[in-house]
Amino acid sequence: MEKLKKYVSVKDEDQFYHQGAVELLVFNFLLILTILTIWLFKNHRFRFLHETGGAMLYGLVMGLMIRYATKASDVDSGTVYECEKLKSGPSTLLINITNQVYEYQYKREISHHNVNGHQGNAMLQKMTFDPSIFFNILLPPIIFHAGYSLKKRHFFRNLGSILTYAFLGTAVSCIVIGLIMYGFVKAMLHIGQLKGWEFHFTDCLFFGSLMSATDPVTVLAIFHELHVDTDLYTLLFGESVLNDAVAIVLTYSISIYSPKENPNVFDAAAFFQSVGNFLGIFAGSFAMGSSYAVVTALISFMHLTKFTKLCEFPMLETGLFFLLSWSAFLSAEAAGLTGIVAVLFCGVTQAHYTYNNLSPDSKMRTKQLFEFMNFLAENVIFCYMGLALFTFQNHIFNPLFIFGAFVAVFVARACNIYPLSFLLNLGRKQKIPRNFQHMMMFSGLRGAIAFALAIRDTESQPKQMMFTTALLIVFFTVWVFGGGTTPMLTWLQIRVGIDPDEDLKAEAANQTASNLDKNTTKTESAWLFRIWYGFDHKYLKPILTHAGPPLTTTLPEWCNPVARLLTSPSAYGDQLKDDGTDYIINSDELTENYESSAHIPGPAQDRTGFTQATGKEDIHEGDLGLGGYKLQLEHTAGQPQMNSLA
Amino acid sequence: MEKLKKYVSVKDEDQFYHQGAVELLVFNFLLILTILTIWLFKNHRFRFLHETGGAMLYGLVMGLMIRYATKASDVDSGTVYECEKLKSGPSTLLINITNQVYEYQYKREISHHNVNGHQGNAMLQKMTFDPSIFFNILLPPIIFHAGYSLKKRHFFRNLGSILTYAFLGTAVSCIVIGLIMYGFVKAMLHIGQLKGWEFHFTDCLFFGSLMSATDPVTVLAIFHELHVDTDLYTLLFGESVLNDAVAIVLTYSISIYSPKENPNVFDAAAFFQSVGNFLGIFAGSFAMGSSYAVVTALISFMHLTKFTKLCEFPMLETGLFFLLSWSAFLSAEAAGLTGIVAVLFCGVTQAHYTYNNLSPDSKMRTKQLFEFMNFLAENVIFCYMGLALFTFQNHIFNPLFIFGAFVAVFVARACNIYPLSFLLNLGRKQKIPRNFQHMMMFSGLRGAIAFALAIRDTESQPKQMMFTTALLIVFFTVWVFGGGTTPMLTWLQIRVGIDPDEDLKAEAANQTASNLDKNTTKTESAWLFRIWYGFDHKYLKPILTHAGPPLTTTLPEWCNPVARLLTSPSAYGDQLKDDGTDYIINSDELTENYESSAHIPGPAQDRTGFTQATGKEDIHEGDLGLGGYKLQLEHTAGQPQMNSLA
């Protein structure tokens, strides 16, 4: 008998595996549908519904089906049991039920008023997966990819503006949304809604901070496809990438702001502690991310010892690259910092240094790997957002709050873009034109980050109402604004079909006669950036990559022994070449083309020699490598030459 | 006050996330160490410890540290609570502890004697992760990769032998181990060990089936590096790949074998039910996996309608390929079949049909993606095996049982290889020489599958003892046999440094004058295979890929309308070329080389044109594409020509 029972229990366990398989299958099915739809859309050049919007739509339909087509199965689930012996919730609970011990794992704490929501449908419960999956698994690849594919050249040209929008703009947006929502909440309390709720100004600010994370994935994808003006693209891309990091740290800082006494009274000490937290976490995460990238760069740079180069084993190189980048995220999380911020700056630094040391094969492998992970993660998130509207069981729809939030989000975006653009235009030589400002205003979509921040805490009723509202704003902005991007571009007469390389080449050609100073003042007087650039070019690049002048020429003479030790031997020979490299717009491309022609009569028989364009997707990251913005600063030196084969 | 408490709870939750981060970080750290070690070994051409052995060693050390350097933290965990109101274990349990409701999720059922093992260390508990993670996440990419990179040409030449070893050999091995272990168990009961345990012959067979899954990852890696004789490589590789599938289904069939009355008496009905289960599950999984692959092939084949080809969007193509292959696994699991078997045959079929339809870019992307996932998953599994020796808390070390298992495993391997080789040699024209047989005997390592099958059920004491024993056998075989591969090859005088393509080319050259029949009898008289090959070449390939003759020529005349509809227009033009293709040893390579030279003056500016050898790893899968074994059958037709550009 006992034997039989054992087998039954094995079968039960199998049942559990199979359920997990069913849920994953649902997601797979949604993703496959999304991919087929994208294919269809691309065929018809249909740009009113982007893949993210499509994924969300399919998720919505699937959520509807799961909600109303599956029945409640697990009757026990809704009941709360008493346990007098326990003092606190242990992480693992062993319970003796009818003489059989079961192991239960701690999942979360829930409020009394949420207990009813858990009654019934096991399928729904399984579908609403852990917010930690978002933060630990789905978001990191997206953010890393954003950092890794940052168009450095244009990014650094617009650094000042991007930082202003990202830091100042997000703060402005957060405060404006917070203030407007506080007004609405006060009004709601006045007319008798939200009875018995605790809803402080800090809660409104919390909502403000999470709604300040813009996510113009859809808009940027369309921009990219239409080759919209590169400066506009860079401004929006840079802003949204950094703004995510700022919003995440801001939300965390506000959530741990805990005034000693009355939460409605301003507590200066607690406020400054929050500001300190913000700065500390941001700086710490930045340092963590960058240092992991520097370690990767150093390891991949260790070419020149008696060791075989790591780049001769592209699999190991790619693996190491992937693991160290993920470790940046995990270490930051483990240290109580923000992993997302760490992984973003890790990506930026990897692209700046490590990428130059990678073998051509690894360059492609890492790019394709992260591109693929980004693609999958993005679509999973948008599918899940669609699902959440029907599978999340504690929605609180409050029309007034939702209306207030819509108003607040648009007013805040306007207060962010127009005044800051005005201020920036005072300093910029190349003004941000009026139609760019309108387009930036229009591109203030809310997406994955806002959703992830909102779903992270849905315990109290205010938080649930915020989550519902955030979800609706995401739906609205992705569908309406995302779909309206192409008409809007036409209406605002923003030029499309621009080749970013051509753009720069033309600029460079126009300015061949002008000198360095004249050149840099063209966009912004980024003196801080110039100092950093000099330091980076003279010291960091030579230490961490094969590019740049040898350290012996850049360091003072008394450092020569150290310099000789640290400099890559190839740097000496490359000294001339290095200056020339800056002229080559897209040195990667040249290298590859050259190699592909040089390859055919090559002696190595084990090189299969794949040659295939990576398709249109590649333009986007076509210039991760060397050069880029150097063009701006150094185009006076040397003659263009084919030298990237070193 | 409530507010403060809420924030504390948020912080608690963060604490939970951070713990998850720490565990992942430990794994990341182990993998990084492993990669650096592999690099070091590759530099010194050190072949006595393979990467899998290294990963296991690091895991072992880390497990030791976690075990003895961290202290018990969670005192509550070991206590069992009574709950009279519950009748069965619900999937979610809500518990009211000091007026706060906590949600707990069902994890598993545990026996009373295992309760003590759970006392204490939360870190240890977290580290011993769910066996379902093995089956659902880590194993599928490894198995898929094995199927996808099967060397078809040599595989089909040796199909009969491989199937014999895989099916008959595994069954023999399972029964021999079962019988020997039953003898040892009887002896142990006789001398008074295992008091009060239930240990039937089916349990011994269960152990036999799980220990029959050989996993010569290490051996094959070394073979591959040294370019060992291709037939030996193919025999071992084919055997171990199929043998995993057989062992998994066999284990499952035995675990659900439940005789009505006395479990020690042979129950014919239950036995035949088990055999039926085995055949049904195997066939069902095979069908499920193949049909997903056929669907993928059909979608990727939809080139010729008015649609843009899917292969113009390599990202979508890769995504679809990945998702459909994973869906094959998940669907099989959801349907109660064996996902691993499904994903294996899905991989084989994808390589046979879909791979031919993919764009060159997607060919490379999918290969590299699966290669990378395989690399990571394999190293995670071996790290985890090392960890498990110290972190698993219910080990039962029984010297007699362990000794018996070692004896049984080697005797069973001998009973599998030598008699079957003798029988096969009666039929084979090209005999399996004595030294190959010894090498196959020596390569009977146990690895990931045996471990995963053993850890799947560790509830009862016999199962725990089996798990401990399996783990030790894995350690021993991987380290000792894996490390001894190179000396063994030298000692057995097996020739190394063979280029598989050269091998075939030479054969082809020798036999240019001979005819088809003479040719096929060379290896095996695989009449079944010949029938299948004809069907595949005439009907399936033309329907599913761009290769093969047009259907209008292969189908009877009255089918012409249908045939015209199904045939790819390019097939008509290719008719001549197709026959020629069979002469090209490695048509992929030629295509790529040709394209890389043709590419440089090409008109498409958006093609970045990557050209880089994928390094040594690539030889292994260098011939996934067309041709291959066709050479054997069709080399009489046409003249060799460069025609693979169609």
Side-chain angles (χ1 to χ4, degrees):
Chain A
M1 276 307 288
E2 208 231 319
K3 193 184 177 68
L4 260 173
K5 203 181 156 191
K6 209 165 61 201
Y7 287 146
V8 171
S9 106
V10 167
K11 276 189 193 164
D12 273 359
E13 229 166 86
D14 280 343
Q15 197 58 44
F16 267 91
Y17 295 154
H18 295 166
Q19 273 202 11
V22 171
E23 290 135 34
L24 284 173
L25 204 56
V26 168
F27 272 100
N28 265 15
F29 175 68
L30 286 177
L31 290 177
I32 291 168
L33 263 185
T34 308
I35 289 180
L36 291 176
T37 315
I38 299 169
W39 182 28
L40 192 78
F41 284 1
K42 289 209 174 186
N43 265 299
H44 294 88
R45 307 193 172 282
F46 183 80
R47 291 202 185 87
F48 298 101
L49 185 61
H50 183 62
E51 55 193 77
T52 50
M56 229 154 72
L57 193 64
Y58 285 125
L60 199 76
V61 173
M62 183 58 82
L64 202 68
M65 279 161 57
I66 293 174
R67 179 80 189 231
Y68 296 107
T70 62
K71 60 185 194 304
S73 55
D74 212 349
V75 240
D76 269 334
S77 298
T79 329
V80 180
Y81 298 94
E82 299 293 325
C83 204
E84 295 83 12
K85 290 170 211 156
L86 279 164
K87 291 289 160 289
S88 63
S91 64
T92 310
L93 193 64
L94 300 181
I95 288 196
N96 191 346
I97 300 165
T98 57
N99 217 19
Q100 180 64 48
V101 183
Y102 293 95
E103 185 177 336
Y104 280 84
Q105 196 141 39
Y106 176 87
K107 200 174 161 201
R108 56 179 174 160
E109 194 185 314
I110 46 177
S111 320
H112 288 278
H113 66 270
N114 289 338
V115 168
N116 284 332
H118 290 268
Q119 231 150 8
N121 205 318
M123 186 75 183
L124 278 186
Q125 265 177 43
K126 290 261 164 118
M127 276 297 170
T128 41
F129 58 65
D130 212 328
S132 72
I133 290 180
F134 272 108
F135 273 91
N136 289 337
I137 294 170
L138 294 174
L139 279 184
I142 295 181
I143 305 286
F144 183 87
H145 180 74
Y148 197 56
S149 63
L150 208 74
K151 260 186 166 18
K152 281 189 311 189
R153 198 178 351 165
H154 293 92
F155 179 76
F156 281 103
R157 282 213 319 202
N158 294 296
L159 191 66
S161 308
I162 289 170
L163 289 178
T164 311
Y165 285 124
F167 281 84
L168 207 56
T170 307
V172 166
S173 166
C174 167
I175 292 166
V176 170
I177 296 178
L179 284 171
I180 295 176
M181 288 326 289
Y182 194 56
F184 271 91
V185 167
K186 279 280 170 210
M188 281 153 84
L189 286 168
H190 192 71
I191 62 168
Q193 291 188 338
L194 318 182
K195 272 229 174 78
W197 289 20
E198 290 211 45
F199 213 132
H200 307 293
F201 183 57
T202 46
D203 293 317
C204 294
L205 270 185
F206 177 83
F207 184 69
S209 65
L210 73 89
M211 289 317 299
S212 297
T214 61
D215 179 32
V217 171
T218 318
V219 176
L220 290 177
I222 292 167
F223 276 25
H224 181 229
E225 213 167 291
L226 296 176
H227 299 288
V228 167
D229 186 281
T230 328
D231 275 315
L232 176 59
Y233 182 91
T234 312
L235 279 177
L236 257 180
F237 184 72
E239 184 222 344
S240 73
V241 164
L242 285 180
N243 146 292
D244 288 346
V246 174
I248 288 170
V249 182
L250 201 59
T251 309
Y252 183 68
S253 307
I254 291 172
S255 79
I256 58 173
Y257 166 79
S258 47
K260 290 279 180 304
E261 291 154 30
N262 186 341
N264 279 320
V265 175
F266 179 75
D267 180 339
F271 173 75
F272 283 112
Q273 205 190 334
S274 274
V275 172
N277 274 334
F278 175 84
L279 295 176
I281 291 170
F282 202 92
S285 307
F286 176 84
M288 183 74 86
S290 317
S291 46
Y292 266 95
V294 166
V295 168
T296 319
L298 280 176
I299 292 176
S300 64
F301 178 59
M302 280 164 64
H303 279 206
L304 306 145
T305 59
K306 56 192 167 181
F307 263 52
T308 321
K309 297 167 192 168
L310 181 59
C311 67
E312 300 216 344
F313 313 104
M315 176 63 85
L316 299 186
E317 206 178 13
T318 312
L320 205 64
F321 191 98
F322 172 79
L323 290 171
L324 279 169
S325 303
W326 196 22
S327 294
F329 172 85
L330 293 171
S331 304
E333 285 291 310
L337 302 167
T338 310
I340 298 290
V341 178
V343 89
L344 169 65
F345 290 108
C346 181
V348 174
T349 319
Q350 298 279 36
H352 195 59
Y353 299 116
T354 317
Y355 189 81
N356 291 325
N357 297 339
L358 295 180
S359 63
D361 187 29
S362 290
K363 280 185 187 175
M364 197 177 41
R365 274 174 189 247
T366 52
K367 249 161 60 173
Q368 291 184 347
L369 179 70
F370 290 118
E371 206 179 311
F372 182 70
M373 286 167 62
N374 171 61
F375 174 78
L376 274 192
E378 211 171 85
N379 282 303
V380 169
I381 288 187
F382 279 88
C383 272
Y384 184 70
M385 284 198 241
L387 269 177
L389 191 61
F390 288 102
T391 56
F392 183 72
Q393 300 183 309
N394 298 314
H395 278 302
I396 298 181
F397 290 95
N398 184 316
L400 199 57
F401 192 82
I402 292 168
F403 174 72
F406 269 89
V407 171
V409 164
F410 299 123
V411 172
R413 185 77 188 163
C415 293
N416 168 358
I417 298 297
Y418 295 118
L420 289 183
S421 301
F422 175 75
L423 288 176
L424 286 169
N425 277 343
L426 295 180
R428 279 174 75 105
K429 288 283 176 294
Q430 195 184 30
K431 308 289 182 202
I432 301 168
R434 211 63 191 165
N435 58 350
F436 280 22
Q437 296 180 28
H438 294 317
M439 196 64 221
M440 289 183 77
M441 168 75 202
F442 187 78
S443 307
L445 275 69
R446 304 307 192 272
I449 306 277
F451 175 80
L453 286 171
I455 207 177
R456 197 162 187 172
D457 179 10
T458 55
E459 268 318 298
S460 64
Q461 282 164 320
K463 293 283 160 67
Q464 286 165 5
M465 195 166 73
M466 287 178 195
F467 173 66
T468 307
T469 310
L471 195 56
L472 290 177
I473 290 178
V474 170
F475 278 113
F476 182 82
T477 54
V478 168
W479 282 336
V480 175
F481 289 4
T485 306
T486 320
M488 200 67 181
L489 281 173
T490 318
W491 193 64
L492 290 172
Q493 296 179 315
I494 291 171
R495 56 183 195 143
V496 295
I498 292 167
D499 177 0
D501 296 327
E502 284 300 322
D503 199 21
L504 265 185
K505 235 183 270 173
E507 260 171 42
N510 290 339
Q511 293 163 13
T512 316
S514 64
N515 63 22
L516 188 91
D517 294 293
K518 214 171 158 186
N519 216 355
T520 44
T521 51
K522 192 188 157 269
T523 47
E524 299 180 27
S525 53
W527 57 269
L528 186 70
F529 167 62
R530 277 213 312 273
I531 292 171
W532 157 250
Y533 173 79
F535 179 72
D536 178 51
H537 181 72
K538 281 192 188 149
Y539 307 112
L540 292 182
K541 280 233 163 182
I543 292 176
L544 296 173
T545 73
H546 295 293
L551 279 175
T552 38
T553 61
T554 55
L555 281 177
E557 244 177 58
W558 56 268
C559 298
N560 261 354
V562 184
R564 232 182 284 278
L565 202 72
L566 289 171
T567 304
S568 146
S570 69
Y572 294 108
D574 290 357
Q575 193 168 1
L576 252 173
K577 292 180 184 176
D578 177 65
D579 294 327
T581 306
D582 300 319
Y583 241 116
I584 294 172
I585 299 296
N586 198 333
S587 60
D588 267 1
E589 236 173 76
L590 286 179
T591 315
E592 281 141 13
N593 283 335
Y594 188 88
E595 278 188 14
S596 65
S597 65
H599 180 70
I600 296 123
Q605 273 300 331
D606 59 337
R607 295 191 149 202
T608 321
F610 282 108
T611 298
Q612 168 56 17
T614 37
K616 286 168 186 172
E617 268 91 352
D618 243 279
I619 303 165
H620 188 60
E621 301 95 8
D623 49 1
L624 271 171
L626 310 159
Y629 64 87
K630 286 189 201 165
L631 191 77
Q632 283 302 110
L633 296 160
E634 292 206 330
H635 74 280
T636 44
Q639 287 290 317
Q641 44 182 329
M642 285 278 276
N643 51 20
S644 40
L645 280 165
Chain B
M1 274 310 285
E2 209 234 319
K3 192 183 179 68
L4 259 172
K5 204 180 155 193
K6 210 166 58 201
Y7 286 148
V8 170
S9 107
V10 169
K11 275 187 194 167
D12 273 358
E13 229 166 87
D14 280 342
Q15 197 59 44
F16 267 91
Y17 294 153
H18 295 166
Q19 273 201 11
V22 170
E23 290 135 35
L24 284 173
L25 204 55
V26 169
F27 272 100
N28 265 15
F29 175 69
L30 285 177
L31 290 177
I32 291 168
L33 262 185
T34 308
I35 289 180
L36 291 177
T37 315
I38 299 169
W39 182 27
L40 192 77
F41 284 1
K42 289 212 172 184
N43 265 297
H44 293 88
R45 304 190 174 282
F46 183 81
R47 292 201 186 88
F48 297 101
L49 185 61
H50 183 63
E51 56 193 76
T52 49
M56 230 155 71
L57 193 65
Y58 284 125
L60 199 76
V61 173
M62 183 58 83
L64 203 68
M65 280 162 57
I66 293 174
R67 179 80 189 232
Y68 296 108
T70 62
K71 59 185 195 304
S73 55
D74 212 351
V75 241
D76 270 334
S77 298
T79 329
V80 180
Y81 298 94
E82 299 292 325
C83 205
E84 295 84 12
K85 289 169 211 157
L86 278 165
K87 291 289 160 288
S88 64
S91 65
T92 310
L93 192 65
L94 301 181
I95 288 195
N96 191 347
I97 300 165
T98 57
N99 217 18
Q100 180 64 49
V101 183
Y102 293 94
E103 185 178 337
Y104 280 84
Q105 197 142 37
Y106 177 86
K107 201 175 161 200
R108 55 179 175 161
E109 193 185 315
I110 46 178
S111 320
H112 288 279
H113 67 270
N114 289 338
V115 168
N116 284 332
H118 289 268
Q119 231 150 11
N121 206 320
M123 186 76 182
L124 277 188
Q125 265 178 42
K126 291 259 163 122
M127 275 297 169
T128 42
F129 59 65
D130 212 328
S132 72
I133 291 180
F134 272 109
F135 273 91
N136 289 337
I137 294 169
L138 294 174
L139 280 184
I142 296 180
I143 305 288
F144 182 86
H145 180 75
Y148 197 54
S149 63
L150 208 74
K151 259 184 167 15
K152 281 189 310 186
R153 200 179 347 166
H154 293 92
F155 179 76
F156 282 101
R157 283 213 318 200
N158 294 296
L159 191 67
S161 309
I162 289 171
L163 289 178
T164 312
Y165 285 125
F167 281 84
L168 206 57
T170 307
V172 167
S173 166
C174 168
I175 291 164
V176 170
I177 296 178
L179 284 171
I180 295 177
M181 289 325 290
Y182 194 57
F184 272 92
V185 167
K186 280 278 171 217
M188 282 154 81
L189 285 168
H190 192 71
I191 62 169
Q193 289 187 343
L194 317 182
K195 273 229 173 75
W197 288 21
E198 291 210 46
F199 213 130
H200 307 293
F201 182 58
T202 46
D203 293 316
C204 294
L205 270 184
F206 178 83
F207 183 70
S209 65
L210 73 88
M211 287 318 297
S212 297
T214 61
D215 178 33
V217 171
T218 320
V219 176
L220 290 178
I222 293 168
F223 276 24
H224 181 229
E225 214 167 293
L226 295 177
H227 299 290
V228 167
D229 186 281
T230 329
D231 275 316
L232 175 59
Y233 182 92
T234 312
L235 279 177
L236 257 179
F237 184 72
E239 184 221 345
S240 72
V241 164
L242 285 181
N243 146 293
D244 288 347
V246 174
I248 289 171
V249 181
L250 202 58
T251 309
Y252 182 68
S253 307
I254 291 172
S255 80
I256 58 174
Y257 167 80
S258 46
K260 290 281 180 302
E261 290 154 31
N262 187 343
N264 279 320
V265 174
F266 179 76
D267 181 338
F271 172 77
F272 283 112
Q273 205 189 337
S274 273
V275 172
N277 275 334
F278 175 85
L279 294 176
I281 292 170
F282 202 93
S285 308
F286 175 85
M288 182 76 85
S290 316
S291 47
Y292 266 96
V294 166
V295 168
T296 318
L298 280 176
I299 292 176
S300 64
F301 178 61
M302 279 165 63
H303 280 206
L304 306 145
T305 59
K306 57 194 166 178
F307 264 51
T308 321
K309 298 168 191 170
L310 182 59
C311 67
E312 300 216 345
F313 312 105
M315 175 63 86
L316 299 187
E317 207 179 13
T318 312
L320 204 63
F321 190 97
F322 171 80
L323 289 170
L324 279 169
S325 304
W326 196 20
S327 294
F329 172 84
L330 293 171
S331 304
E333 285 291 307
L337 303 167
T338 311
I340 299 289
V341 178
V343 89
L344 169 65
F345 290 107
C346 181
V348 174
T349 318
Q350 298 279 35
H352 195 59
Y353 299 115
T354 317
Y355 189 82
N356 291 325
N357 297 339
L358 295 181
S359 64
D361 187 30
S362 289
K363 281 185 186 175
M364 197 177 41
R365 273 175 190 246
T366 52
K367 249 161 62 172
Q368 291 185 347
L369 179 70
F370 291 118
E371 207 179 311
F372 182 70
M373 284 167 63
N374 171 60
F375 175 78
L376 275 192
E378 211 172 84
N379 282 302
V380 169
I381 288 187
F382 280 87
C383 272
Y384 184 70
M385 284 197 239
L387 268 177
L389 190 61
F390 289 102
T391 56
F392 183 72
Q393 300 184 310
N394 297 316
H395 278 302
I396 298 181
F397 289 95
N398 184 318
L400 199 57
F401 192 83
I402 293 167
F403 173 73
F406 268 89
V407 171
V409 163
F410 298 123
V411 171
R413 184 78 188 162
C415 293
N416 168 358
I417 298 296
Y418 295 117
L420 288 183
S421 302
F422 175 75
L423 288 176
L424 286 170
N425 277 343
L426 295 180
R428 277 176 76 105
K429 289 281 176 295
Q430 195 183 33
K431 310 287 182 204
I432 301 169
R434 212 66 192 161
N435 58 350
F436 280 22
Q437 297 180 26
H438 294 316
M439 196 64 222
M440 288 183 78
M441 167 75 201
F442 187 79
S443 306
L445 276 69
R446 304 307 191 271
I449 306 277
F451 175 80
L453 286 171
I455 206 177
R456 198 161 186 174
D457 179 11
T458 56
E459 269 318 298
S460 65
Q461 283 164 321
K463 294 284 160 69
Q464 286 166 6
M465 195 166 72
M466 288 179 195
F467 173 65
T468 307
T469 311
L471 195 56
L472 291 177
I473 290 179
V474 169
F475 278 111
F476 181 81
T477 54
V478 167
W479 282 336
V480 175
F481 288 4
T485 306
T486 320
M488 200 67 181
L489 280 172
T490 320
W491 193 65
L492 290 172
Q493 296 179 312
I494 290 171
R495 56 182 195 145
V496 294
I498 291 167
D499 178 359
D501 296 328
E502 283 301 322
D503 200 20
L504 264 185
K505 234 182 274 174
E507 259 172 43
N510 290 338
Q511 294 163 10
T512 316
S514 64
N515 63 22
L516 187 93
D517 292 294
K518 213 171 159 187
N519 215 355
T520 42
T521 51
K522 194 189 154 266
T523 47
E524 301 179 26
S525 53
W527 57 271
L528 186 70
F529 167 62
R530 277 217 308 277
I531 292 170
W532 157 250
Y533 172 80
F535 180 72
D536 179 51
H537 181 71
K538 281 193 188 146
Y539 307 112
L540 292 181
K541 281 232 165 184
I543 292 176
L544 295 172
T545 73
H546 295 293
L551 280 174
T552 39
T553 61
T554 56
L555 281 177
E557 245 178 57
W558 56 270
C559 298
N560 261 354
V562 184
R564 232 183 284 280
L565 201 71
L566 289 171
T567 303
S568 145
S570 69
Y572 294 108
D574 289 358
Q575 192 165 2
L576 253 173
K577 292 180 186 177
D578 176 65
D579 294 326
T581 306
D582 300 318
Y583 241 117
I584 294 171
I585 299 296
N586 197 333
S587 62
D588 267 3
E589 236 172 80
L590 286 179
T591 314
E592 281 140 15
N593 283 335
Y594 187 89
E595 279 190 14
S596 65
S597 65
H599 180 70
I600 296 125
Q605 274 300 331
D606 59 337
R607 295 190 151 203
T608 321
F610 282 107
T611 298
Q612 168 56 17
T614 37
K616 287 169 186 170
E617 268 91 353
D618 244 279
I619 304 165
H620 189 60
E621 300 97 7
D623 48 1
L624 271 170
L626 310 159
Y629 63 88
K630 288 189 201 166
L631 190 76
Q632 282 302 111
L633 295 161
E634 292 208 330
H635 74 283
T636 44
Q639 285 292 316
Q641 45 182 328
M642 284 280 275
N643 51 20
S644 40
L645 280 164

